Amino acid sequence: MTDRKLPRATYRLQLREGVDFDRARRLVPYLSGFGISHLYLSPIFTAASGSTHGYDVTNPAEIDPCLGGREGFEALARDCREAGLGIILDIVPNHTAFHLENPWLRDVLRHGPDSRFARHFDIDWGKGRLVLPFLGQPFDEMLEAGAFRLEEGEEGPQLATEHFAVPMAQGTLPSEEMRRDPQAIRDTHAAQPWRLTHWEYERDGVTHRRFFNVTGLIGMRVEDEAVFDEMHALLFDLLDKDLVQGIRLDHIDGLADPAAYLRRLRGRVGDTPIWIEKILTGDETVPASWPIEGTTGYEAARAISRILTDAEGLGRLDEVWRRETGREGSFHDALIAAKNEVIRQELAAEMHQLIDMARSAMGPEGALETGDEALREAIIALLVAFPRYRTYFAEGEAPSEEERALMEQVTAEAGEGLRSDATVRRVAGFITDPESPEERALQTRFQQVTGALLAKAHEDTAGFRWNRYIAANEVGADPDAPTIEVEELSGWLQRRAPSEMTLTSTHDTKRSEDARMRLVAISHLPEAFLALWEHSETVEGAQEIDPNLRWYILQTLLAMWEKGRGDIAERLGQHVEKAMREAKEVTTWTHQNQEAEAAAQRFAAALAASWESELPAGAGQLMARGEVLSLAQTALKMVMPGIPDIYQGTEVGAFQLTDPDNRMAVDFRAIAELAMKGAPDCFAHEVPLDDIPGAVATEGPKPEPAPEIDSFAGRKARLICAGLALRRRMPGFFETAEVRIEAPAPGALLLTREGAEGRLELRIDRQGHGIEATPGQDPVWPRNEADRDAAVRLDWLPAQG
């Protein structure tokens, strides 16, 4: 059996979009030589045709043939084992695809509540037939246009359109001569356990639990032991055969009872490491009783950005941003406004379901004393006031004092401004201390909806409106708390377990790590950014768009700029479209304001063009400071408690934006060549470059051009390689060494790790000044002459004797 010890470092690989198991196999020698201990794979289970990410699983019992199937995965696992690498699998217990390719769902469509899979899905059958909002027009309009046909398909009777065919219940197909008759089609449709509707009905009419507001993903009832077993049967088989050595759980907060799920999973997988995708807010921590190694590390990325942000410079930016845009208040104010919009718009179906459940919980007598508006007010007020992704109240377990206090605080805040807080307090009581089955059902669903609301309102709405300093508009970050004092960070580091993951980029981050540090740089050099702002005012179209949007576009171009790339304007334009639609202030995904979008596109294109011939004053200065901060971020990630997680391609400079930009094709061969030539003494063995896959041609953004060895990208690769070599040489030290961080001088940081083997010192000068070597210490980095002027220095002092 493979040793189940903690990973030394993980490498996140996004499968699909041209990357399959065969290409992954060709990366194994490079990754093992570089110092990676575990290959961390996005979901491998069969997903919807054309899926670019794999989280829309259609068959959790099968490894996707498009990746190479079971045979291809086993070949990858063998290669990894021979090279000393483990494999961590990303699994999706919360949902599968609400898609006609889903065989379990097809059975439900055929047999309705009598299907053996009916209880696998989180469907509210009490609402009647399962709603399928698949139509481009209302049903009656399509019926009149002759868009439907009834026919016998390969698997049985079906109702078909030009684009899809839905399985029908046996015995409901009319005679052949009646199959084109509109009334016969209407009657046949009415006899099914499902009903087709216009897609706009998804807003408030769906009858299945969704992933956030994504109607195309349906919740799974893994709280049911039989469902749990079937959802995980393939995973367990791979674990039992030692083909997988770790598990990453997607969206733990969507589950009915995360704690019970984790206990059941731990009981089945033994000591296999488990990490969870969990977004922590403020000073929140994961419940201590959860049997996991830790989170995937969004809180670590936030902590690093906060310590590297300059508070004084950010104050200057805040002053000008407010003056130029007229924006007032705080991010929290923007978030509350966004929550109130999102719960009534994107999550209206969830809101109405909670209102219905609260009415059932009231019981016949209580319902007579509580009006519809009072219930609606109470549900909305509690959801909007809730500050975290969720609480973890569960049947048979007494609420912790912390969670009870949190709900009391939320209840008090929710009651403010209402004519009476009686209904709020009563509904909150059901959530905290349920007594009946109806109250417990409300408790469960409320806890599942709070996370969806916070995610959609924070990350995907307010985060694109509050554009003061978008380095802090990240997954798990708080724009109202963009900085941290060294004393607070030191305490947090000392409490952090070595088994936690430390990420700086993922497939979900809003900006990749080096793009984010360019943005952090504007807090250090606000006047340089304000010079860019003045330049942007002279660009054609600047006066046609809202100054707040222009402030956002300017930061975005700075974050992503790379000399010599021919796709900057195209990618910027695509991102601006996404940002405006996510902000939902003048345009949305479903109802576009083409005039407003076109104006923003014109300005973005003109701004990018104005940078091409010559960078405006301030840009080069900010990019140089961004490089310093990126190296500081990388060094902190290598040294702080936790397991460094490297997202594909970020071992060199990574200046992508949010998806799909951050999932662009990666030229692994060019990156490996850079890393090996730049840091040959760090590699554990030679790697034949010709065997490493180059860029994959896709329809998405083009891969980055190969960077130069002596560029920032080369420096970053050398720093990571040196850090991983040190972790490879002294694995025990990083699990046990004490840690502290201090600020010995303005702009300086000193992080130390000390253990029986010796002392590791990380010194950072955030102002970009070179750091001299300390006599008697062994330099871990820089070791290369090209890096001698670095503002980041990592030294090792062995223990005496």
Side-chain angles (χ1 to χ4, degrees), residues 139-162:
F139 182 88
D140 285 343
E141 291 182 16
M142 292 186 65
L143 180 64
E144 185 177 345
F148 301 119
R149 63 182 185 274
L150 305 177
E151 61 188 26
E152 189 70 44
E154 292 183 5
E155 299 177 357
Q158 59 188 28
L159 186 153
T161 73
E162 179 185 0

Side-chain angles (χ1 to χ4, degrees), residues 694-705:
V696 181
T698 69
E699 295 181 0
K702 303 298 186 293
E704 295 186 40

Side-chain angles (χ1 to χ4, degrees), residues 249-264:
L249 296 174
D250 182 69
H251 189 43
I252 187 74
D253 282 339
L255 304 183
D257 187 346
Y261 169 85
L262 289 170
R263 287 194 295 269
R264 179 173 286 164

Side-chain angles (χ1 to χ4, degrees), residues 385-402:
F386 199 82
R388 297 180 179 178
Y389 265 60
R390 64 171 289 167
T391 46
Y392 298 99
F393 302 134
E395 185 175 359
E397 297 182 16
S400 69
E401 288 304 314
E402 178 189 4

Side-chain angles (χ1 to χ4, degrees), residues 61 69 91 130 175 249 304 347 474 619 660 691 702 709 746 797:
I91 69 167
L130 175 61
S175 61
L249 296 174
I304 293 172
L347 298 177
E474 261 299 349
D691 293 343
K702 303 298 186 293
I709 290 174
L797 182 64

Side-chain angles (χ1 to χ4, degrees), residues 377-378 381-383 385 409-418 421 424:
E377 282 183 340
L382 287 167
L383 288 170
Q409 173 191 331
V410 168
T411 304
E413 183 177 332
E416 293 177 2
L418 300 182
D421 66 353
V424 166

Side-chain angles (χ1 to χ4, degrees), residues 560-577:
M560 70 184 299
W561 182 263
E562 292 180 84
K563 183 179 179 181
R565 288 200 65 132
D567 61 356
I568 294 292
E570 179 186 1
R571 289 166 52 215
L572 177 62
Q574 291 171 348
H575 179 78
V576 168
E577 177 186 87

Side-chain angles (χ1 to χ4, degrees), residues 150 168 171-180 184-185 188:
L150 305 177
M168 297 195 316
T172 60
L173 185 65
S175 61
E176 193 163 346
E177 61 270 18
M178 295 296 293
R179 291 177 189 176
R180 285 287 185 175
I185 294 175
T188 301

